[in-house]
Amino acid sequence: DAMVIQNPRYQVTQFGKPVTLSCSQTLNHNVMYWYQQKSSQAPKLLFHYYDKDFNNEADTPDNFQSRRPNTSFCFLDIRSPGLGDAAMYLCATSRDISGDTQYFGPGTRLTVL
Amino acid sequence: GQNIDQPTEMTATEGAIVQINCTYQTSGFNGLFWYQQHAGEAPTFLSYNVLDGLEEKGRFSSFLSRSKGYSYLLLKELQMKDSASYLCAVEGYQKVTFGIGTKLQVIP
């Protein structure tokens, strides 16, 4: 089945130790998104790619970076995780940037020790 | 920017009908999504409204009034598995902003 896959589902890292979360999609969608969701809060958009064009949200900390080497894969790099970065990280895709449903992956729950 | 308001929690009885409201203020509006999110899982798409009126899809219906900045999600014949958070999300200029979600608990 076509889907959005995130690995790993659970990630534990140490304070300040870089970590990379991965997302892949078989939907061949143009747009890929990364959201951060903390407990009982709304998903917060960090950035998105439209094809190779990167769009960073104004309030996304510099500590968060992203790479999209090809249509199928997108990575979230957290350069120096702090305790406040512990959250669920959701990857989503959509065919286009406007008027299209976003399909979410299962998420990666990040714990920072 | 966008401001989205929905109740934090609701409780309803199995077999009943529940209406979850969402109001929004936005600088640009293309449409409004409703997503369902079970605890610890990713959001899944329920509905997308662009025009005013009611869209029905099985047990779930969604209503939009653009002039009032108002939407609701109607769930009929509630089942225990409907216990989840329901996220209202507004699509503005090339960006979707999610509300905090309404946590619905269905009780026997």
Side-chain angles (χ1 to χ4, degrees), chain A residues 9-10 33 35 37 40-43 45 48 57 88 90 97-107 109, chain B residues 30 33 35 37 39-46 48 50 87 91-92 94-101 103:
Chain A
R9 294 291 309 277
Y10 300 90
Y33 309 82
Y35 289 88
Q37 187 177 27
S40 300
Q41 294 186 22
L45 182 64
H48 75 270
E57 291 299 300
M88 176 76 89
L90 297 165
I97 198 75
S98 179
D100 272 324
T101 301
Q102 293 186 24
Y103 295 85
F104 285 84
R109 182 164 294 282
Chain B
N30 288 336
F33 293 89
Y35 283 83
Q37 186 175 26
E41 298 183 14
T44 55
F45 171 80
L46 291 177
Y48 179 57
V50 176
L87 304 170
E91 183 183 32
Q94 295 195 342
K95 179 181 174 180
V96 173
T97 301
F98 284 83
I100 196 170
K103 187 174 181 180

mmCIF file of all heavy atoms in Angstrom, chain A residues 9-10 33 35 37 40-43 45 48 57 88 90 97-107 109, chain B residues 30 33 35 37 39-46 48 50 87 91-92 94-101 103:
data_model
loop_
_atom_site.group_PDB
_atom_site.id
_atom_site.type_symbol
_atom_site.label_atom_id
_atom_site.label_comp_id
_atom_site.label_asym_id
_atom_site.label_seq_id
_atom_site.Cartn_x
_atom_site.Cartn_y
_atom_site.Cartn_z
ATOM 1 N N ARG A 9 10.325 4.723 15.073
ATOM 2 C CA ARG A 9 9.083 5.147 15.720
ATOM 3 C C ARG A 9 9.382 5.802 17.069
ATOM 4 O O ARG A 9 8.658 6.698 17.504
ATOM 5 C CB ARG A 9 8.150 3.954 15.935
ATOM 6 C CG ARG A 9 7.634 3.330 14.644
ATOM 7 C CD ARG A 9 6.665 4.272 13.907
ATOM 8 N NE ARG A 9 5.612 4.761 14.783
ATOM 9 C CZ ARG A 9 4.503 4.083 15.047
ATOM 10 N NH1 ARG A 9 4.304 2.891 14.519
ATOM 11 N NH2 ARG A 9 3.580 4.600 15.846
ATOM 12 N N TYR A 10 10.422 5.332 17.717
ATOM 13 C CA TYR A 10 10.832 5.898 19.001
ATOM 14 C C TYR A 10 12.340 6.146 18.935
ATOM 15 O O TYR A 10 13.089 5.288 18.501
ATOM 16 C CB TYR A 10 10.507 4.943 20.165
ATOM 17 C CG TYR A 10 9.039 4.629 20.280
ATOM 18 C CD1 TYR A 10 8.491 3.537 19.612
ATOM 19 C CD2 TYR A 10 8.198 5.439 21.039
ATOM 20 C CE1 TYR A 10 7.134 3.267 19.707
ATOM 21 C CE2 TYR A 10 6.839 5.170 21.145
ATOM 22 C CZ TYR A 10 6.316 4.079 20.469
ATOM 23 O OH TYR A 10 4.979 3.809 20.557
ATOM 24 N N TYR A 33 6.224 17.639 4.594
ATOM 25 C CA TYR A 33 6.175 18.541 5.748
ATOM 26 C C TYR A 33 6.782 17.855 6.968
ATOM 27 O O TYR A 33 6.683 16.640 7.120
ATOM 28 C CB TYR A 33 4.720 18.875 6.121
ATOM 29 C CG TYR A 33 3.830 19.357 5.015
ATOM 30 C CD1 TYR A 33 3.216 18.463 4.146
ATOM 31 C CD2 TYR A 33 3.544 20.712 4.868
ATOM 32 C CE1 TYR A 33 2.358 18.905 3.144
ATOM 33 C CE2 TYR A 33 2.677 21.162 3.878
ATOM 34 C CZ TYR A 33 2.093 20.254 3.021
ATOM 35 O OH TYR A 33 1.243 20.697 2.042
ATOM 36 N N TYR A 35 6.266 18.351 11.131
ATOM 37 C CA TYR A 35 5.556 18.988 12.227
ATOM 38 C C TYR A 35 6.158 18.510 13.547
ATOM 39 O O TYR A 35 6.593 17.371 13.669
ATOM 40 C CB TYR A 35 4.073 18.601 12.240
ATOM 41 C CG TYR A 35 3.233 19.183 11.143
ATOM 42 C CD1 TYR A 35 3.097 18.535 9.915
ATOM 43 C CD2 TYR A 35 2.532 20.370 11.334
ATOM 44 C CE1 TYR A 35 2.296 19.067 8.916
ATOM 45 C CE2 TYR A 35 1.729 20.909 10.337
ATOM 46 C CZ TYR A 35 1.616 20.245 9.134
ATOM 47 O OH TYR A 35 0.821 20.778 8.148
ATOM 48 N N GLN A 37 4.827 18.016 17.457
ATOM 49 C CA GLN A 37 3.622 18.017 18.284
ATOM 50 C C GLN A 37 3.975 17.609 19.705
ATOM 51 O O GLN A 37 4.425 16.481 19.936
ATOM 52 C CB GLN A 37 2.543 17.096 17.719
ATOM 53 C CG GLN A 37 1.217 17.203 18.472
ATOM 54 C CD GLN A 37 0.118 16.347 17.881
ATOM 55 O OE1 GLN A 37 0.375 15.319 17.259
ATOM 56 N NE2 GLN A 37 -1.130 16.767 18.058
ATOM 57 N N SER A 40 -0.815 17.223 24.099
ATOM 58 C CA SER A 40 -2.025 18.060 24.196
ATOM 59 C C SER A 40 -1.893 19.397 23.466
ATOM 60 O O SER A 40 -2.573 20.363 23.824
ATOM 61 C CB SER A 40 -2.395 18.310 25.665
ATOM 62 O OG SER A 40 -2.642 17.093 26.322
ATOM 63 N N GLN A 41 -1.026 19.443 22.475
ATOM 64 C CA GLN A 41 -0.888 20.665 21.685
ATOM 65 C C GLN A 41 -1.143 20.368 20.210
ATOM 66 O O GLN A 41 -1.144 19.214 19.788
ATOM 67 C CB GLN A 41 0.509 21.270 21.861
ATOM 68 C CG GLN A 41 0.786 21.775 23.263
ATOM 69 C CD GLN A 41 2.113 22.483 23.358
ATOM 70 O OE1 GLN A 41 2.659 22.968 22.361
ATOM 71 N NE2 GLN A 41 2.652 22.567 24.565
ATOM 72 N N ALA A 42 -1.347 21.428 19.454
ATOM 73 C CA ALA A 42 -1.554 21.280 18.016
ATOM 74 C C ALA A 42 -0.237 20.937 17.333
ATOM 75 O O ALA A 42 0.838 21.349 17.787
ATOM 76 C CB ALA A 42 -2.097 22.583 17.437
ATOM 77 N N PRO A 43 -0.291 20.192 16.241
ATOM 78 C CA PRO A 43 0.924 20.016 15.432
ATOM 79 C C PRO A 43 1.413 21.382 14.959
ATOM 80 O O PRO A 43 0.632 22.197 14.474
ATOM 81 C CB PRO A 43 0.449 19.164 14.254
ATOM 82 C CG PRO A 43 -0.795 18.493 14.730
ATOM 83 C CD PRO A 43 -1.433 19.454 15.672
ATOM 84 N N LEU A 45 3.921 23.369 12.436
ATOM 85 C CA LEU A 45 4.713 23.204 11.226
ATOM 86 C C LEU A 45 6.109 23.782 11.427
ATOM 87 O O LEU A 45 6.273 24.930 11.846
ATOM 88 C CB LEU A 45 4.027 23.906 10.051
ATOM 89 C CG LEU A 45 4.714 23.792 8.695
ATOM 90 C CD1 LEU A 45 4.744 22.331 8.217
ATOM 91 C CD2 LEU A 45 4.005 24.659 7.658
ATOM 92 N N HIS A 48 8.551 22.913 5.203
ATOM 93 C CA HIS A 48 8.078 22.002 4.173
ATOM 94 C C HIS A 48 8.915 22.176 2.914
ATOM 95 O O HIS A 48 9.565 23.208 2.710
ATOM 96 C CB HIS A 48 6.586 22.205 3.886
ATOM 97 C CG HIS A 48 6.259 23.435 3.094
ATOM 98 N ND1 HIS A 48 5.985 24.654 3.674
ATOM 99 C CD2 HIS A 48 6.142 23.625 1.748
ATOM 100 C CE1 HIS A 48 5.727 25.546 2.728
ATOM 101 N NE2 HIS A 48 5.819 24.948 1.553
ATOM 102 N N GLU A 57 9.554 27.815 8.371
ATOM 103 C CA GLU A 57 8.677 28.694 9.135
ATOM 104 C C GLU A 57 9.533 29.693 9.911
ATOM 105 O O GLU A 57 10.617 29.371 10.392
ATOM 106 C CB GLU A 57 7.814 27.897 10.096
ATOM 107 C CG GLU A 57 6.765 27.040 9.396
ATOM 108 C CD GLU A 57 5.793 27.863 8.578
ATOM 109 O OE1 GLU A 57 5.106 28.731 9.155
ATOM 110 O OE2 GLU A 57 5.730 27.643 7.350
ATOM 111 N N MET A 88 6.575 14.535 19.702
ATOM 112 C CA MET A 88 6.294 13.670 18.553
ATOM 113 C C MET A 88 6.601 14.477 17.298
ATOM 114 O O MET A 88 6.188 15.634 17.185
ATOM 115 C CB MET A 88 4.819 13.251 18.559
ATOM 116 C CG MET A 88 4.408 12.432 17.352
ATOM 117 S SD MET A 88 4.963 10.728 17.431
ATOM 118 C CE MET A 88 3.571 10.001 18.298
ATOM 119 N N LEU A 90 6.048 14.583 13.347
ATOM 120 C CA LEU A 90 5.183 14.029 12.310
ATOM 121 C C LEU A 90 5.641 14.485 10.929
ATOM 122 O O LEU A 90 5.860 15.676 10.709
ATOM 123 C CB LEU A 90 3.742 14.494 12.529
ATOM 124 C CG LEU A 90 3.065 14.037 13.817
ATOM 125 C CD1 LEU A 90 1.804 14.845 14.070
ATOM 126 C CD2 LEU A 90 2.734 12.557 13.749
ATOM 127 N N ILE A 97 0.403 22.097 -2.734
ATOM 128 C CA ILE A 97 0.554 22.913 -1.539
ATOM 129 C C ILE A 97 -0.793 23.466 -1.081
ATOM 130 O O ILE A 97 -0.963 23.851 0.062
ATOM 131 C CB ILE A 97 1.548 24.062 -1.798
ATOM 132 C CG1 ILE A 97 2.061 24.644 -0.478
ATOM 133 C CG2 ILE A 97 0.933 25.141 -2.659
ATOM 134 C CD1 ILE A 97 3.048 23.787 0.188
ATOM 135 N N SER A 98 -1.775 23.484 -1.959
ATOM 136 C CA SER A 98 -3.040 24.121 -1.626
ATOM 137 C C SER A 98 -4.212 23.209 -1.957
ATOM 138 O O SER A 98 -4.268 22.621 -3.033
ATOM 139 C CB SER A 98 -3.169 25.435 -2.413
ATOM 140 O OG SER A 98 -4.391 26.074 -2.132
ATOM 141 N N GLY A 99 -5.111 23.095 -1.017
ATOM 142 C CA GLY A 99 -6.338 22.368 -1.281
ATOM 143 C C GLY A 99 -6.209 20.869 -1.303
ATOM 144 O O GLY A 99 -7.120 20.172 -1.743
ATOM 145 N N ASP A 100 -5.099 20.350 -0.844
ATOM 146 C CA ASP A 100 -4.908 18.900 -0.868
ATOM 147 C C ASP A 100 -4.758 18.345 0.542
ATOM 148 O O ASP A 100 -4.111 18.958 1.397
ATOM 149 C CB ASP A 100 -3.666 18.533 -1.682
ATOM 150 C CG ASP A 100 -3.984 18.355 -3.150
ATOM 151 O OD1 ASP A 100 -5.075 17.850 -3.464
ATOM 152 O OD2 ASP A 100 -3.144 18.724 -3.983
ATOM 153 N N THR A 101 -5.301 17.171 0.732
ATOM 154 C CA THR A 101 -5.190 16.480 2.012
ATOM 155 C C THR A 101 -3.744 16.171 2.322
ATOM 156 O O THR A 101 -2.962 15.801 1.427
ATOM 157 C CB THR A 101 -5.966 15.161 1.933
ATOM 158 O OG1 THR A 101 -7.326 15.448 1.621
ATOM 159 C CG2 THR A 101 -5.894 14.388 3.234
ATOM 160 N N GLN A 102 -3.392 16.321 3.570
ATOM 161 C CA GLN A 102 -2.068 15.896 4.017
ATOM 162 C C GLN A 102 -2.176 14.489 4.583
ATOM 163 O O GLN A 102 -3.075 14.186 5.365
ATOM 164 C CB GLN A 102 -1.520 16.858 5.075
ATOM 165 C CG GLN A 102 -1.221 18.234 4.509
ATOM 166 C CD GLN A 102 -0.537 19.147 5.503
ATOM 167 O OE1 GLN A 102 0.115 18.698 6.447
ATOM 168 N NE2 GLN A 102 -0.648 20.447 5.289
ATOM 169 N N TYR A 103 -1.262 13.636 4.175
ATOM 170 C CA TYR A 103 -1.205 12.265 4.660
ATOM 171 C C TYR A 103 -0.034 12.159 5.618
ATOM 172 O O TYR A 103 1.104 12.462 5.247
ATOM 173 C CB TYR A 103 -1.032 11.287 3.496
ATOM 174 C CG TYR A 103 -2.220 11.267 2.572
ATOM 175 C CD1 TYR A 103 -2.339 12.194 1.537
ATOM 176 C CD2 TYR A 103 -3.247 10.344 2.744
ATOM 177 C CE1 TYR A 103 -3.451 12.196 0.708
ATOM 178 C CE2 TYR A 103 -4.345 10.325 1.914
ATOM 179 C CZ TYR A 103 -4.452 11.262 0.889
ATOM 180 O OH TYR A 103 -5.552 11.262 0.075
ATOM 181 N N PHE A 104 -0.349 11.721 6.817
ATOM 182 C CA PHE A 104 0.658 11.701 7.868
ATOM 183 C C PHE A 104 1.287 10.327 8.033
ATOM 184 O O PHE A 104 0.620 9.295 7.892
ATOM 185 C CB PHE A 104 0.034 12.117 9.200
ATOM 186 C CG PHE A 104 -0.224 13.594 9.305
ATOM 187 C CD1 PHE A 104 -1.376 14.149 8.773
ATOM 188 C CD2 PHE A 104 0.690 14.424 9.931
ATOM 189 C CE1 PHE A 104 -1.616 15.519 8.866
ATOM 190 C CE2 PHE A 104 0.465 15.783 10.030
ATOM 191 C CZ PHE A 104 -0.695 16.332 9.495
ATOM 192 N N GLY A 105 2.562 10.347 8.374
ATOM 193 C CA GLY A 105 3.214 9.127 8.836
ATOM 194 C C GLY A 105 2.863 8.871 10.287
ATOM 195 O O GLY A 105 2.211 9.703 10.931
ATOM 196 N N PRO A 106 3.304 7.735 10.833
ATOM 197 C CA PRO A 106 2.944 7.360 12.208
ATOM 198 C C PRO A 106 3.650 8.192 13.271
ATOM 199 O O PRO A 106 3.269 8.142 14.432
ATOM 200 C CB PRO A 106 3.363 5.891 12.300
ATOM 201 C CG PRO A 106 4.445 5.755 11.285
ATOM 202 C CD PRO A 106 4.092 6.675 10.170
ATOM 203 N N GLY A 107 4.662 8.955 12.857
ATOM 204 C CA GLY A 107 5.359 9.807 13.817
ATOM 205 C C GLY A 107 6.555 9.132 14.456
ATOM 206 O O GLY A 107 6.648 7.898 14.512
ATOM 207 N N ARG A 109 8.509 9.465 18.106
ATOM 208 C CA ARG A 109 8.489 10.095 19.434
ATOM 209 C C ARG A 109 9.923 10.224 19.912
ATOM 210 O O ARG A 109 10.615 9.212 20.078
ATOM 211 C CB ARG A 109 7.663 9.268 20.414
ATOM 212 C CG ARG A 109 7.580 9.925 21.789
ATOM 213 C CD ARG A 109 6.482 9.368 22.662
ATOM 214 N NE ARG A 109 5.147 9.644 22.155
ATOM 215 C CZ ARG A 109 4.518 10.802 22.258
ATOM 216 N NH1 ARG A 109 5.128 11.841 22.828
ATOM 217 N NH2 ARG A 109 3.292 10.946 21.807
ATOM 218 N N ASN B 30 -8.498 29.372 2.432
ATOM 219 C CA ASN B 30 -8.786 28.546 1.258
ATOM 220 C C ASN B 30 -9.762 27.428 1.584
ATOM 221 O O ASN B 30 -10.582 27.050 0.746
ATOM 222 C CB ASN B 30 -7.506 27.926 0.694
ATOM 223 C CG ASN B 30 -6.627 28.958 0.008
ATOM 224 O OD1 ASN B 30 -7.101 29.998 -0.440
ATOM 225 N ND2 ASN B 30 -5.344 28.678 -0.062
ATOM 226 N N PHE B 33 -10.007 21.839 7.159
ATOM 227 C CA PHE B 33 -9.913 20.394 7.308
ATOM 228 C C PHE B 33 -10.357 19.984 8.705
ATOM 229 O O PHE B 33 -10.198 20.726 9.674
ATOM 230 C CB PHE B 33 -8.446 19.931 7.163
ATOM 231 C CG PHE B 33 -7.840 20.108 5.807
ATOM 232 C CD1 PHE B 33 -7.193 21.292 5.468
ATOM 233 C CD2 PHE B 33 -7.882 19.087 4.882
ATOM 234 C CE1 PHE B 33 -6.604 21.450 4.220
ATOM 235 C CE2 PHE B 33 -7.284 19.231 3.630
ATOM 236 C CZ PHE B 33 -6.650 20.415 3.304
ATOM 237 N N TYR B 35 -9.383 16.576 11.065
ATOM 238 C CA TYR B 35 -8.590 15.365 11.187
ATOM 239 C C TYR B 35 -8.951 14.679 12.497
ATOM 240 O O TYR B 35 -9.278 15.323 13.493
ATOM 241 C CB TYR B 35 -7.085 15.684 11.212
ATOM 242 C CG TYR B 35 -6.478 16.009 9.864
ATOM 243 C CD1 TYR B 35 -6.561 17.291 9.335
ATOM 244 C CD2 TYR B 35 -5.810 15.029 9.131
ATOM 245 C CE1 TYR B 35 -5.992 17.595 8.098
ATOM 246 C CE2 TYR B 35 -5.236 15.325 7.901
ATOM 247 C CZ TYR B 35 -5.331 16.615 7.396
ATOM 248 O OH TYR B 35 -4.768 16.904 6.179
ATOM 249 N N GLN B 37 -7.352 12.180 15.448
ATOM 250 C CA GLN B 37 -6.067 11.703 15.959
ATOM 251 C C GLN B 37 -6.287 10.893 17.226
ATOM 252 O O GLN B 37 -6.671 11.428 18.271
ATOM 253 C CB GLN B 37 -5.116 12.875 16.244
ATOM 254 C CG GLN B 37 -3.708 12.428 16.630
ATOM 255 C CD GLN B 37 -2.735 13.591 16.804
ATOM 256 O OE1 GLN B 37 -3.136 14.707 17.114
ATOM 257 N NE2 GLN B 37 -1.444 13.324 16.596
ATOM 258 N N ALA B 39 -4.858 8.724 20.397
ATOM 259 C CA ALA B 39 -3.727 8.985 21.301
ATOM 260 C C ALA B 39 -2.467 8.267 20.816
ATOM 261 O O ALA B 39 -2.491 7.063 20.561
ATOM 262 C CB ALA B 39 -4.078 8.537 22.713
ATOM 263 N N GLY B 40 -1.400 9.020 20.673
ATOM 264 C CA GLY B 40 -0.120 8.450 20.279
ATOM 265 C C GLY B 40 -0.002 8.108 18.808
ATOM 266 O O GLY B 40 0.994 7.495 18.398
ATOM 267 N N GLU B 41 -1.003 8.479 18.016
ATOM 268 C CA GLU B 41 -0.974 8.155 16.594
ATOM 269 C C GLU B 41 -1.001 9.430 15.752
ATOM 270 O O GLU B 41 -1.189 10.525 16.260
ATOM 271 C CB GLU B 41 -2.156 7.252 16.230
ATOM 272 C CG GLU B 41 -2.133 5.922 16.950
ATOM 273 C CD GLU B 41 -3.284 5.016 16.521
ATOM 274 O OE1 GLU B 41 -3.938 5.296 15.509
ATOM 275 O OE2 GLU B 41 -3.511 4.018 17.232
ATOM 276 N N ALA B 42 -0.814 9.270 14.459
ATOM 277 C CA ALA B 42 -0.814 10.415 13.550
ATOM 278 C C ALA B 42 -2.239 10.825 13.201
ATOM 279 O O ALA B 42 -3.159 10.011 13.238
ATOM 280 C CB ALA B 42 -0.053 10.054 12.276
ATOM 281 N N PRO B 43 -2.425 12.085 12.859
ATOM 282 C CA PRO B 43 -3.752 12.527 12.403
ATOM 283 C C PRO B 43 -4.143 11.833 11.103
ATOM 284 O O PRO B 43 -3.298 11.587 10.239
ATOM 285 C CB PRO B 43 -3.561 14.029 12.175
ATOM 286 C CG PRO B 43 -2.337 14.408 12.939
ATOM 287 C CD PRO B 43 -1.471 13.189 12.925
ATOM 288 N N THR B 44 -5.438 11.545 10.963
ATOM 289 C CA THR B 44 -5.962 10.996 9.714
ATOM 290 C C THR B 44 -7.081 11.894 9.211
ATOM 291 O O THR B 44 -7.872 12.418 9.991
ATOM 292 C CB THR B 44 -6.479 9.555 9.873
ATOM 293 O OG1 THR B 44 -7.448 9.540 10.919
ATOM 294 C CG2 THR B 44 -5.356 8.602 10.211
ATOM 295 N N PHE B 45 -7.143 12.058 7.917
ATOM 296 C CA PHE B 45 -8.070 12.980 7.268
ATOM 297 C C PHE B 45 -9.511 12.533 7.438
ATOM 298 O O PHE B 45 -9.851 11.359 7.269
ATOM 299 C CB PHE B 45 -7.717 13.054 5.779
ATOM 300 C CG PHE B 45 -8.714 13.789 4.939
ATOM 301 C CD1 PHE B 45 -8.718 15.160 4.899
ATOM 302 C CD2 PHE B 45 -9.636 13.088 4.173
ATOM 303 C CE1 PHE B 45 -9.634 15.842 4.101
ATOM 304 C CE2 PHE B 45 -10.552 13.749 3.383
ATOM 305 C CZ PHE B 45 -10.553 15.128 3.350
ATOM 306 N N LEU B 46 -10.384 13.494 7.775
ATOM 307 C CA LEU B 46 -11.816 13.229 7.822
ATOM 308 C C LEU B 46 -12.564 13.988 6.726
ATOM 309 O O LEU B 46 -13.388 13.414 6.019
ATOM 310 C CB LEU B 46 -12.400 13.631 9.183
ATOM 311 C CG LEU B 46 -11.995 12.794 10.388
ATOM 312 C CD1 LEU B 46 -12.596 13.384 11.654
ATOM 313 C CD2 LEU B 46 -12.433 11.348 10.212
ATOM 314 N N TYR B 48 -12.811 17.965 4.200
ATOM 315 C CA TYR B 48 -12.265 19.240 3.728
ATOM 316 C C TYR B 48 -13.421 20.053 3.175
ATOM 317 O O TYR B 48 -14.114 19.593 2.268
ATOM 318 C CB TYR B 48 -11.213 19.005 2.653
ATOM 319 C CG TYR B 48 -10.598 20.252 2.070
ATOM 320 C CD1 TYR B 48 -9.976 21.188 2.883
ATOM 321 C CD2 TYR B 48 -10.611 20.481 0.688
ATOM 322 C CE1 TYR B 48 -9.387 22.324 2.342
ATOM 323 C CE2 TYR B 48 -10.027 21.616 0.149
ATOM 324 C CZ TYR B 48 -9.412 22.540 0.981
ATOM 325 O OH TYR B 48 -8.827 23.668 0.447
ATOM 326 N N VAL B 50 -14.596 23.716 1.516
ATOM 327 C CA VAL B 50 -14.194 24.958 0.860
ATOM 328 C C VAL B 50 -15.380 25.922 0.780
ATOM 329 O O VAL B 50 -15.259 27.108 1.055
ATOM 330 C CB VAL B 50 -13.646 24.688 -0.550
ATOM 331 C CG1 VAL B 50 -13.323 26.000 -1.255
ATOM 332 C CG2 VAL B 50 -12.413 23.814 -0.490
ATOM 333 N N LEU B 87 -9.093 17.443 15.283
ATOM 334 C CA LEU B 87 -8.340 18.661 14.996
ATOM 335 C C LEU B 87 -8.994 19.435 13.858
ATOM 336 O O LEU B 87 -9.218 18.885 12.777
ATOM 337 C CB LEU B 87 -6.902 18.309 14.593
ATOM 338 C CG LEU B 87 -6.093 17.469 15.577
ATOM 339 C CD1 LEU B 87 -4.792 17.006 14.936
ATOM 340 C CD2 LEU B 87 -5.803 18.250 16.840
ATOM 341 N N GLU B 91 -6.696 26.159 6.234
ATOM 342 C CA GLU B 91 -5.730 26.370 5.168
ATOM 343 C C GLU B 91 -5.768 27.830 4.746
ATOM 344 O O GLU B 91 -6.783 28.313 4.251
ATOM 345 C CB GLU B 91 -6.039 25.484 3.965
ATOM 346 C CG GLU B 91 -5.005 25.626 2.857
ATOM 347 C CD GLU B 91 -5.369 24.806 1.639
ATOM 348 O OE1 GLU B 91 -6.568 24.642 1.366
ATOM 349 O OE2 GLU B 91 -4.452 24.347 0.948
ATOM 350 N N GLY B 92 -4.656 28.516 4.996
ATOM 351 C CA GLY B 92 -4.525 29.901 4.563
ATOM 352 C C GLY B 92 -3.682 29.958 3.314
ATOM 353 O O GLY B 92 -3.769 29.074 2.452
ATOM 354 N N GLN B 94 -1.037 29.003 1.370
ATOM 355 C CA GLN B 94 -0.031 27.958 1.252
ATOM 356 C C GLN B 94 0.430 27.403 2.590
ATOM 357 O O GLN B 94 1.585 27.014 2.740
ATOM 358 C CB GLN B 94 1.177 28.458 0.450
ATOM 359 C CG GLN B 94 0.826 28.770 -0.987
ATOM 360 C CD GLN B 94 2.059 28.902 -1.870
ATOM 361 O OE1 GLN B 94 3.178 29.084 -1.388
ATOM 362 N NE2 GLN B 94 1.847 28.769 -3.169
ATOM 363 N N LYS B 95 -0.454 27.382 3.563
ATOM 364 C CA LYS B 95 -0.085 26.840 4.861
ATOM 365 C C LYS B 95 -1.337 26.382 5.579
ATOM 366 O O LYS B 95 -2.368 27.053 5.536
ATOM 367 C CB LYS B 95 0.632 27.893 5.703
ATOM 368 C CG LYS B 95 1.024 27.426 7.085
ATOM 369 C CD LYS B 95 1.717 28.520 7.871
ATOM 370 C CE LYS B 95 1.980 28.081 9.295
ATOM 371 N NZ LYS B 95 2.657 29.144 10.075
ATOM 372 N N VAL B 96 -1.231 25.231 6.229
ATOM 373 C CA VAL B 96 -2.320 24.722 7.052
ATOM 374 C C VAL B 96 -1.939 24.914 8.516
ATOM 375 O O VAL B 96 -0.847 24.507 8.934
ATOM 376 C CB VAL B 96 -2.583 23.230 6.759
ATOM 377 C CG1 VAL B 96 -3.603 22.660 7.737
ATOM 378 C CG2 VAL B 96 -3.072 23.053 5.327
ATOM 379 N N THR B 97 -2.828 25.534 9.281
ATOM 380 C CA THR B 97 -2.600 25.728 10.714
ATOM 381 C C THR B 97 -3.606 24.890 11.487
ATOM 382 O O THR B 97 -4.810 24.971 11.235
ATOM 383 C CB THR B 97 -2.755 27.211 11.093
ATOM 384 O OG1 THR B 97 -1.826 27.998 10.344
ATOM 385 C CG2 THR B 97 -2.484 27.414 12.578
ATOM 386 N N PHE B 98 -3.093 24.099 12.412
ATOM 387 C CA PHE B 98 -3.942 23.204 13.183
ATOM 388 C C PHE B 98 -4.386 23.853 14.487
ATOM 389 O O PHE B 98 -3.615 24.577 15.139
ATOM 390 C CB PHE B 98 -3.178 21.912 13.521
ATOM 391 C CG PHE B 98 -3.048 20.964 12.371
ATOM 392 C CD1 PHE B 98 -2.046 21.136 11.426
ATOM 393 C CD2 PHE B 98 -3.921 19.902 12.231
ATOM 394 C CE1 PHE B 98 -1.921 20.262 10.343
ATOM 395 C CE2 PHE B 98 -3.802 19.014 11.160
ATOM 396 C CZ PHE B 98 -2.810 19.208 10.220
ATOM 397 N N GLY B 99 -5.627 23.549 14.877
ATOM 398 C CA GLY B 99 -6.074 23.873 16.210
ATOM 399 C C GLY B 99 -5.530 22.864 17.205
ATOM 400 O O GLY B 99 -4.946 21.840 16.814
ATOM 401 N N ILE B 100 -5.750 23.135 18.469
ATOM 402 C CA ILE B 100 -5.211 22.288 19.536
ATOM 403 C C ILE B 100 -5.932 20.938 19.603
ATOM 404 O O ILE B 100 -5.409 19.973 20.144
ATOM 405 C CB ILE B 100 -5.281 23.026 20.880
ATOM 406 C CG1 ILE B 100 -4.384 22.354 21.926
ATOM 407 C CG2 ILE B 100 -6.713 23.129 21.374
ATOM 408 C CD1 ILE B 100 -4.223 23.179 23.178
ATOM 409 N N GLY B 101 -7.134 20.888 19.025
ATOM 410 C CA GLY B 101 -7.876 19.638 19.021
ATOM 411 C C GLY B 101 -8.870 19.540 20.160
ATOM 412 O O GLY B 101 -8.667 20.102 21.238
ATOM 413 N N LYS B 103 -10.599 16.801 22.520
ATOM 414 C CA LYS B 103 -10.493 15.409 22.953
ATOM 415 C C LYS B 103 -11.888 14.898 23.291
ATOM 416 O O LYS B 103 -12.516 15.355 24.252
ATOM 417 C CB LYS B 103 -9.575 15.302 24.165
ATOM 418 C CG LYS B 103 -9.268 13.884 24.585
ATOM 419 C CD LYS B 103 -8.222 13.873 25.698
ATOM 420 C CE LYS B 103 -7.876 12.466 26.118
ATOM 421 N NZ LYS B 103 -6.864 12.451 27.207
#
